[in-house]
Amino acid sequence: VFSEQKPRLTDEEVAEQQKDWAACGKRGRKARNVATSLFLNPEELEVLNNRLQEKYRRIEAEEVRWDEFMCDDAEYVLVAFGSSARICSAVVEQAREEGIKLGLLRPITLWPFPSKPLEDMVERGVKGFMSVEMNAGQMVEDVRLAVCGKASVEHYGRTGGVIFTPDEVLEALKNNLIK
């Protein structure tokens, strides 16, 4: 099924096959080949970069998607996506039964990240956020950037495929955010 493996080339064989354009150090040539952008003219690079920056701004304005669950009067908000968000919806209901005004923001797009709704929640008086993730915390920095230090941001996560329970998340919320 597999094709026969070719033997590794010696340094001499590699040198014989070198192309003039290859970036491989001097190797006996007068000058090194330098790999750089396809656009060498700085003015052309600037036009390209400006066009890309405008494209990114447009995507951030038009393509960001999220869902909110019971956030209208929330004092604390969980931020979770995927399976974590499903678990966190149960956490919100459980917390509400205990009198804790908790909501859930579920990013549908992680890029662009829904920063504006988090900023708006801070302005409405949300005291703190907890990023709940089944990983080591890849999203918590996005939440911190969105709230700009105006509210507490904590992280709760499990790794290695361990699925947390609503009770674990609620306990972490009480211990780390609602002190």
Side-chain angles (χ1 to χ4, degrees):
V1 176
F2 295 106
S3 60
E4 187 176 327
Q5 186 172 348
K6 296 178 182 176
R8 184 172 179 201
L9 297 175
T10 65
D11 287 344
E12 292 78 25
E13 291 170 325
V14 170
E16 288 172 12
Q17 295 180 9
Q18 287 296 318
K19 307 294 182 199
D20 288 339
W21 50 262
C24 57
K26 271 186 148 177
R27 300 228 178 185
R29 292 185 229 168
K30 291 180 182 176
R32 289 188 169 103
N33 289 339
V34 178
T36 186
S37 173
L38 295 174
F39 298 97
L40 299 176
N41 180 313
E43 287 76 21
E44 290 177 18
L45 274 173
E46 184 177 43
V47 169
L48 172 66
N49 276 289
N50 289 336
R51 191 182 84 226
L52 290 174
Q53 293 303 316
E54 179 55 35
K55 178 180 180 178
Y56 298 150
R57 278 190 290 277
R58 191 175 64 253
I59 290 170
E60 287 177 339
E62 298 172 6
E63 303 297 329
V64 64
R65 295 176 54 214
W66 74 94
D67 192 20
E68 293 179 23
F69 178 60
M70 300 183 89
C71 288
D72 291 338
D73 66 339
E75 293 179 356
Y76 301 94
V77 173
L78 302 176
V79 183
F81 64 91
S83 301
S84 300
R86 179 75 173 176
I87 295 167
C88 286
S89 65
V91 176
V92 170
E93 291 171 348
Q94 191 175 339
R96 291 278 176 159
E97 288 174 8
E98 294 183 21
I100 301 169
K101 292 183 178 179
L102 184 64
L104 168 65
L105 181 128
R106 179 179 68 94
I108 297 170
T109 56
L110 293 175
W111 189 85
F113 188 76
S115 297
K116 182 73 170 107
L118 293 173
E119 293 170 22
D120 293 345
M121 288 177 186
V122 170
E123 296 304 316
R124 286 195 318 249
V126 170
K127 299 174 186 175
F129 298 86
M130 180 171 279
S131 177
V132 182
E133 308 175 59
M134 286 191 198
N135 57 50
Q138 283 83 335
M139 183 177 63
V140 68
E141 292 303 319
D142 293 314
V143 177
R144 286 186 178 126
L145 286 170
V147 302
C148 297
K150 296 177 183 173
S152 297
V153 177
E154 296 292 336
H155 171 258
Y156 179 76
R158 300 291 302 265
T159 60
V162 175
I163 299 173
F164 43 75
T165 66
D167 290 335
E168 291 172 339
V169 176
L170 186 55
E171 188 67 25
L173 178 76
K174 290 176 182 177
N175 290 337
N176 297 305
L177 205 55
I178 307 171
K179 297 178 182 177

